[in-house]
Amino acid sequence: MAGPDRDRLSWYEASARQRLDALLDPGSFTEALGPAERRMSPHLPLFDLPRAFDDGIVVGAGVLDGKAVFVAAQEGRFMGGAFGEVHGAKLVGLLRAAVAAKPAAVLLLLDTGGVRLQEANAGETAIAEAMRAIVEARAAGVPVVGLIGGRAGCFGGGGLIAGTCSRLAVSEGGRISVSGPEVIETNKGAEEFDSRDRALVWRTMGGKHRRLIGGADAFCADTVAAFREAALRLIADAPAFDLDTLVAEQDRLQARLDRFGDCRDATDIWARLGVNDPDAVPAMDTPAFEETVAHLREATHDAR
Amino acid sequence: MESLTFRHTTKTPLAGSKPQAITGVVASGNLEILLERVLPPDTCEVAIETPVSGYGQVWEAVVADFVARAQPGGLRISINDGGARPDTVSLRLLQGARLMEA
Amino acid sequence: MADWRGERKARDARIEAGRAHAQGKVVPAGEATALLDAVLKPGDRVCLEGDNQKQADCLARALSQCDPARVHGLHMVQSGIVLPEHLDVFETGIAERLDYSYSGPQGARVAKMLYGGQIKLGAVHTYLELFARYFIDLTPHVALIAGVSADREGNLYTGPNTEDTPTIVEATHFKNGVVIAQVNEIVDKVPRVDIPGDRIDFVVEADTPFFVEPLFTRDPAAMTETQILIAMMAIKGIYAEYGVRRLNHGIGFGTAAIELLLPTYGEKLGLKGEIATHFALNPHPTLIPAIESGWVRQVHCFGSEVGMDRYIRERPDVFFTGADGSLRSNRALCQTAGLYACDMFIGATLQIDLMGHSSTVTQSRVAGFGGAPNMGSDPHGRRHPSDPWMKAGREGQVVGDPALMRGRKLVVQMVETFGEKLVPTFVERLDALELAKKIGLELAPVMIYADDVTHIVTEEGIANLLLCRDADDREQAIRGVAGYTEVGRGRDRAKVEELRARGIIRRPEDLGIEPLDADRSLLAARSIKDLVHWSGGLYEPPARFRNW
Amino acid sequence: MTRAKTTLAEILASLFPGGHAVTVANGLIAGDGPFEGGRLRVIGIDGDTPLGIEGALALAGHVLDAVRSGDRAPILVAVDSDSQRMSRRDELLGLNECLAHLAKALLLADRHGHPTVGLLYGHSAAGAFIATALATRVLAALPGANPSVMDLPSVARVTKLPLDKLQEMAKSTQVFAPGLDNMRAAGAVHAVLDPAAPLGPQIRDLIATLPERDGRDRLGRERGGRPVAEEIAATVAGQLRGR
């Protein structure tokens, strides 16, 4: 394959390593605890499951348009990008290093189904550690920007990590939620959530919906170039982590609840937001969608 | 999990000087391959971890064909397999060798 | 004195009995079972419409609820065993004998019930073969069909999924049978008349629109590098080699990959207009980029495909459409077109043996054939020449007067050497033979017989069976492309190299193809969404194929 | 193994022998009581209640009120919850943002000088656990508490492993098995309190010895429930700092 062509490379299709290669300035990435160190999961063999040399996450330092950044990229195809012990600890180590090293930003290329059940307690705790470390990095003035557009989406504790970031960029294919559609269907039945109705899934938790309601700050076409451009914009415009920000977020989320709490479907919300033709939203291309977003007050804010 | 190791002597070392490369992803029907230039130039070793047991002969044949074709002298090749089909394994091995030659 | 009108009288009596449940011809859905109880007689031959696409599902449900004391011992003559109800009727005794063609999702249950003796099987047919028998010895007494809408006179609009309906009605109505149609709605005027009202005896207004399976939608996102490599080899080593313009594709990912490579890889090879211009094919969504970039001139369809209707409506130069603008499909005619007017069939299978026989039957599933054997066979009735047909004929002809040589249909099996879960595609002996023995079939369910197959394409190479001159050539040609399967590893390496020298086996490098170039970036569309973009928003994929 | 869990009423009575103003409404706990010469604020979830968007915002609101007051009073997060509420509506309206917001509020309070102490006295799971108890500086539990990420039957369904095999594995493999002992071994739960002794002094002691930094991975190594996390995180951080 030819070298990384970030204009053509699909974020959704690319592996974690391909995303990083194309996202960062060429040749700038240095990996921490790379695959040759073979720090693999000590637990998966008990379940007769194959391991990955990097335990499904690539962490390290690189340069983004001349700025030093720390990056972590989850591989959504290995164990659904889920947090195991090593996987989670690599992210935590990166974030803690950021507090001291103060790079221009930390970029989290999230692509995860949540906690890896075979290592559930370790994964769950690591997510809590990561959230604490994100807050510490943000408080130290390091923007933490989440980039979401992989096939595993961003579920479970990954959704909470996303909600802890300074800024989020999402593409149409990206999904952000806590419980996944299958989990809800299994627990509450297909009447509550028909997980096979993929249009419904994406209306409920997909990138466009998250962007429209202000759950994400940038909407990207599905190319690495678009995510790079969004990341640069978002780094330059990250909200502080302080009381004012969280009070504003409280007000923002409460207002959302008051205004849309009785809506049954995303299209009801979009209509109330002032989108002219809500049913047309899923089919919109990126420019048309950006145009729609530009008219909505709720989508753009510093309350995160 | 089954572990397999194959050691081959090659006629030539693999071209290029890249010390290390990784390709592929451990996923159902897929695999990752880590290549490291750490062995004597006429030696190649391929170590495989696979969750699918009983395919030793197939692996042996795939690896032998790859070695004959690519002459990957000097490489230690480590494979984490996710149940990939032999053709996928061949393809990834060739991809890996090409990365090392770059 | 002979009564030459006995059947006619019996038909009139059935219709009379049914009238009690109808207003004119119209029957409410809730009365459908009562209607069938009144019209059907024990032992009737019944055609319940349904194939690999649309289903007369409302009538299937109604039939399954009939009173087995009144309606029993039916002989079902139908294209598809697809819905659970299609088999339920055999469990309750409503039906007893079966002649059919295709059973995708119900394949395992069919096998079990054949084995258990609940079904008395006539034969597993190909579509054309079964249709043909409707006019000879399997003429239905009652046909239960599906359409989109009807007026009160019974004029029927089948919509884009016309499929088997005209054939079934032709055979039933004109030979003293009763035709009952389920429709999604009764209208004052149908958009176009696909079946004239005088051929329809009853119209049941269904409670839900009839089901259509989106069987021909392949998500480009799931296409693998191996499938792309095989597709590249097929394009360069077969399409270009023979100049194949008129053809039929199977429904697998391999042929879908070919469709998506035409505007990219095919363009690079300069093949536009030279290959793949005329199809007997359903409106595959993956064909959209090739249509939009001017590769495909004409497509005739067996049926439609879910979500493609608006697109087809806007491309009448390519598709067959009616005065109302919507697609007119016809399974029997398209199968005939595939058999006689196409120079090539290319499709996949689950198993190939050492001679090249292939089957989609496994030890526990009777999948049926559908139309593949019609398209995938050499029509001995063909009398018009074409370059690909003549070239294949020359390659295959060993002895005899060249002046009496005739052409050959190209029948290409395109497979990966291993299938799902590392199951080998190449086997010493087809599972179909085991199954036939187990359930007592006189004829083993072979999909395409070896003597019809001209080429096998795998990721390892192309085997040209036309050029094989004896059984050993043939076996080693097949082993030589069978990869790392046991069959492949059992090859005679020297013989395989000889076959390669003779051009019988061609590797990617022999075709000038670098396997590492087989990359997803070659696909004209890499997702369903890309297909929507190619279509200018006209393609409306079903929800389960969306990720937006 | 299954000990009777301590009830919220018992906890409050033990903490505040002189009475308190802590109430429970719709499963949400809020209020305060006199503590060590000042006040102890209490928020939390009672009665195995799932945590949805309304609950998360209500609790976060109390925490932010506390920060705004500037009193630096300790905040006790008492938890007997279900997992996050599983519904289409919650996800539609951004449950991930609401749960993260609650966790951020607790982490902010900590940074503003409010000692945050979790007290797990019943169940908790998944996202609800992360947003509440796991977002405190120190997490204590009472015997009988039953935290989990997912129950074993659900794990069996997802991993496609037989339940009895999982139950067998759970005995020797702490990293995936539900329950207080395993969560303690992972380092998520710092200490298990003595329900027989007054809780006030025990909480006071926890506050007096709050860990300076997040040491849960160290505990995980020491207790064997997370053998490698600490070293992995330290190695990554070391390699990055060394640049």
Side-chain angles (χ1 to χ4, degrees), chain C residues 45 75 77 97-100 121-140 167 171-172 175:
Chain C
R45 269 189 305 276
H75 180 182
V77 291
R97 299 177 62 197
L98 175 66
D99 279 278
Y100 79 110
L121 182 70
V124 185
H125 302 74
T126 71
Y127 282 136
L128 267 186
E129 183 184 15
L130 183 65
F131 296 158
R133 291 189 69 189
Y134 286 167
F135 295 92
I136 303 295
D137 62 339
L138 293 180
T139 307
T167 312
T172 309
K175 192 59 174 56

Side-chain angles (χ1 to χ4, degrees), chain A residues 158-199:
Chain A
L160 273 75
I161 288 182
T164 312
C165 290
S166 319
R167 289 289 187 204
L168 288 181
V170 66
S171 62
E172 181 165 57
R175 288 161 296 165
I176 307 173
S177 110
V178 188
S179 309
E182 291 82 8
V183 174
I184 298 175
E185 181 176 331
T186 304
N187 284 282
K188 305 290 164 182
E191 311 76 45
E192 174 65 27
F193 205 151
D194 179 359
S195 67
R196 284 172 314 164
D197 184 346
R198 307 217 307 176

Side-chain angles (χ1 to χ4, degrees), chain A residues 78-155:
Chain A
F78 173 67
M79 301 293 297
F83 286 85
E85 178 170 0
V86 173
H87 182 117
K90 285 171 76 174
L91 176 61
V92 169
L94 177 95
L95 290 163
R96 286 180 183 163
V99 177
K102 292 202 170 47
V106 180
L107 305 180
L108 303 183
L109 287 60
L110 300 169
D111 195 354
T112 182
V115 169
R116 187 186 297 169
L117 289 178
Q118 292 82 357
E119 311 179 24
N121 301 333
E124 181 99 343
T125 314
I127 287 165
E129 290 168 333
M131 286 167 66
R132 178 177 288 273
I134 289 171
V135 160
E136 284 171 9
R138 288 185 60 182
V142 180
V144 180
V145 176
L147 309 177
I148 299 168
R151 25 181 118 218
C154 187
F155 289 98

Side-chain angles (χ1 to χ4, degrees), chain D residues 73-95:
Chain D
I75 300 173
L76 183 76
V77 182
V79 178
D80 170 21
S81 78
D82 196 358
S83 69
Q84 71 274 7
R85 191 161 66 200
M86 293 183 186
S87 84
R88 187 151 71 91
R89 174 176 172 272
D90 281 275
E91 297 300 349
L92 181 66
L93 293 169
L95 181 61

